[in-house]
Amino acid sequence: MSLNPAEHDRKYGELDQVVRSHLGLGARAPEAVDGYLRQTWRTRPWAIAVAAEQLRTLADNPPGRLRLRLGEYYRLPDLGLPPEEIRDWLAGLADRLDESLATGQAPPPGPPATPWEWRARFPELAQLLGGWFTQDMPDEFGDHESALADYLEGTDPGLVAQLTGELHDLLALGLDEDELALALAALGAEVVPPASLTPGAWLTSLAVRLRG
């Protein structure tokens, strides 16, 4: 039997965040660790030590035959690593996190640089874009306004307030239109903004609408 969610989170929850920060980039991408550290120093600095401990524990104690047979172990996503390199890779990640903690040095503030970092920094905006503005939006809702109305109708006001703050945070990054278009795609949008609106103008109109 596989690990239940509580056991998974206790043993591997923060390790999983570090590993998933590499998805789509590969195991050797330095920007993945930088993105994890930048976001986690900003919001949950205590979690970095937890991640380092979980990474090192897994590197030092890989699952044996019994745990493999029972399925009670962390299943590492395919990041293009040969099996014989996984333990050193996990230990190297733990060393990188420990170094950041020991020196107190975090990557400089700035816009997210990886898909994981975008979603971690703007989770409710990712929920809106990835849930209501997919390629099925025209067939399911007809237009952008109807999709937004459906989101607002079924979403807790506290989450809507969080979304409003995230929109202002994103706009405050000072990204140009091409960068905002890439940000929308990284956050799950699969349709372009409404006709005649640039990505920046659409995000601004959403922020104004929600604030009102």
Side-chain angles (χ1 to χ4, degrees):
M1 57 187 288
S2 59
L3 290 169
N4 63 55
E7 188 71 2
H8 175 278
D9 288 348
R10 185 179 69 81
K11 290 183 175 180
Y12 308 114
E14 201 58 34
L15 172 156
D16 189 55
Q17 294 298 310
V18 180
V19 170
R20 291 187 179 280
S21 72
H22 291 76
L23 292 178
L25 303 172
R28 305 300 185 190
E31 63 269 28
V33 183
D34 285 347
Y36 171 82
L37 284 171
R38 178 168 38 242
Q39 174 64 16
T40 310
W41 267 113
R42 180 174 177 266
T43 58
R44 302 177 304 125
W46 55 267
I48 298 172
V50 176
E53 181 179 4
Q54 291 180 352
L55 285 161
R56 202 174 302 285
T57 297
L58 184 59
D60 292 342
N61 300 281
R65 293 179 181 176
L66 178 60
R67 287 167 62 197
L68 288 171
R69 182 158 56 90
L70 295 175
E72 296 178 349
Y73 67 100
Y74 177 76
R75 292 171 173 80
L76 191 74
D78 184 5
L79 297 172
L81 280 175
E84 64 272 15
E85 295 183 14
I86 289 176
R87 293 178 66 179
D88 286 344
W89 179 71
L90 293 169
L93 288 177
D95 289 343
R96 176 71 178 86
L97 300 189
D98 283 339
E99 178 187 10
S100 182
L101 287 172
T103 62
Q105 295 297 312
T114 68
W116 178 92
E117 191 181 1
W118 277 109
R119 293 189 297 271
R121 182 160 176 175
F122 301 104
E124 191 58 26
L125 183 54
Q127 178 71 12
L128 170 66
L129 296 175
W132 278 264
F133 292 96
T134 66
Q135 60 186 351
D136 296 326
M137 185 271 287
D139 295 329
E140 189 171 357
F141 299 111
D143 56 27
H144 294 70
E145 180 59 31
S146 297
L148 179 62
D150 186 78
Y151 165 84
L152 293 173
E153 181 181 354
T155 301
D156 182 85
L159 291 175
V160 176
Q162 178 179 325
L163 171 64
T164 306
E166 290 179 12
L167 285 166
H168 286 284
D169 185 12
L170 175 55
L171 291 167
L173 292 175
L175 304 178
D176 63 29
E177 294 296 341
D178 288 340
E179 291 169 329
L180 286 172
L182 292 174
L184 289 174
L187 289 166
E190 295 177 345
V191 295
V192 297
S196 79
L197 289 183
T198 64
W202 184 45
L203 289 168
T204 300
S205 70
L206 286 175
V208 171
R209 162 79 182 278
L210 296 178
R211 187 175 57 203

